[in-house]
Every structure is written in C-alpha cells, then in structure tokens.
Amino acid sequence: MTNSISKISEKTYYCPSCKQAMRRIEGKMGPFWGCSDFPKCKTTRNDADGKPSEKVDEHYRCPICTRRMVKADKEKGDYWYCSGFAKGCKVTLADHNGMPELAHRCKSCGFLLVKRKGKNGVFWGCSTYPKCTASYPNINHRPDY
Ligand SMILES: [Zn+2]
Ligand SMILES: [Zn+2]
Ligand SMILES: [Zn+2]
C-alpha cells in the first residue's frame, strides 16, 4: 500500500523559538529568514537554498541596513556596531545580556533614536541631530511616539 501525500510547494517554516511563521527577507548581505513576530522575537536564520538554515544565526542584524551587527571588543565597552560601518552606517547598539539592545527608530526620518539626558530628564532624540530635531518623551525605557 502506498501513501501518496501531495507536496505543498509553499512550505511554511516556523520559528524555533516562538513557533510563529518565519519570513524570507531580502537583506543587503543576501537573503535571510526572520521571525514574523519581529521585533518581539529576534530569531533569524541564514538562508540555505531558499529554506531557513538549521544552524543558529548568531548574528544580529542592523535595524537600519540589515547588515550584521558586530560586538565591539571588550576593552572598548559593551556595545554592538554595524558591519556596514565603513560603508557609512554608523549604527551602534548597547549590549543587553549579550544581545544588542532593542532599537527604536525616529518616526520622522527613520534613523535610530538615542537616549539623551536633558534638563527635564531622559528623552529620546534622533541620532542624526542636528539634521533631524525630532525628540520623544521616555516612557518605560522606550520612546513615546
Ligand atoms: Zn519567533
Ligand atoms: Zn547598518
Ligand atoms: Zn530623525
């Protein structure tokens, strides 16, 4: 007896950490897979022949250009920088338990926001200041849009 199971061409791949569907993203360094629950879940996989690779992608992606984030040398401090640095992407993210801190983007220009301390306490300002002067109040460690 033969069991014929029809092949589904559009296979869905699930995130190994949260079981949501993964989606294929065309990154600047080539395609990769990211969890559809991003930014809540930051699981990514390398692309292997159109499928998410089984191997864990230990690299984190730049929130601006999707290149890999690189951990800075211990002596320099606990932060991550974008591997596109030489190409003009100046994104750096603080280290948070061995992972780059969640990035927040400016609603007006799309670049990263940085936490700043002002006269009236902490707020989020655009990293391209003074080009972009957008700023957002700080609510629960995140910008209040
Ligand atoms: Zn996930
Ligand atoms: Zn970048
Ligand atoms: Zn801005």
Side-chain angles (χ1 to χ4, degrees):
M1 223 171 91
T2 47
N3 239 338
S4 64
I5 299 159
S6 57
K7 254 196 166 174
I8 305 156
S9 53
E10 281 286 293
K11 198 170 184 293
T12 309
Y13 298 96
Y14 295 96
C15 171
S17 357
C18 72
K19 312 289 176 227
Q20 302 273 5
M22 302 281 287
R23 58 202 169 92
R24 199 160 178 271
I25 298 156
E26 291 293 334
K28 290 236 166 73
M29 296 281 277
F32 67 98
W33 291 76
C35 180
S36 57
D37 207 19
F38 182 87
K40 255 209 318 229
C41 174
K42 287 207 199 65
T43 300
T44 57
R45 286 288 182 273
N46 291 318
D47 184 76
D49 301 322
K51 294 188 293 229
S53 152
E54 296 297 313
K55 274 185 259 147
V56 179
D57 184 356
E58 279 167 359
H59 299 277
Y60 299 96
R61 302 279 168 173
C62 171
I64 299 294
C65 73
T66 73
R67 287 189 186 93
R68 290 186 168 161
M69 295 298 289
V70 186
K71 185 100 176 359
D73 295 335
K74 263 269 173 290
E75 306 88 68
K76 286 188 192 147
D78 270 343
Y79 71 94
W80 296 71
Y81 63 93
C82 177
S83 59
F85 188 83
K87 300 215 162 57
C89 183
K90 303 281 188 279
V91 168
T92 58
L93 296 170
D95 183 77
H96 186 76
N97 298 327
M99 287 190 297
E101 178 185 64
L102 191 64
H104 301 286
R105 294 171 75 155
C106 175
K107 278 275 177 293
S108 89
C109 72
F111 276 90
L112 287 194
L113 293 174
V114 284
K115 229 192 227 171
R116 293 214 162 94
K117 243 201 176 112
K119 267 183 275 158
N120 304 315
V122 175
F123 68 97
W124 292 81
C126 187
S127 59
T128 64
Y129 181 88
K131 238 195 324 192
C132 171
T133 55
S135 72
Y136 308 88
N138 179 50
I139 308 274
N140 293 327
H141 308 292
R142 46 169 69 233
D144 182 38
Y145 292 125

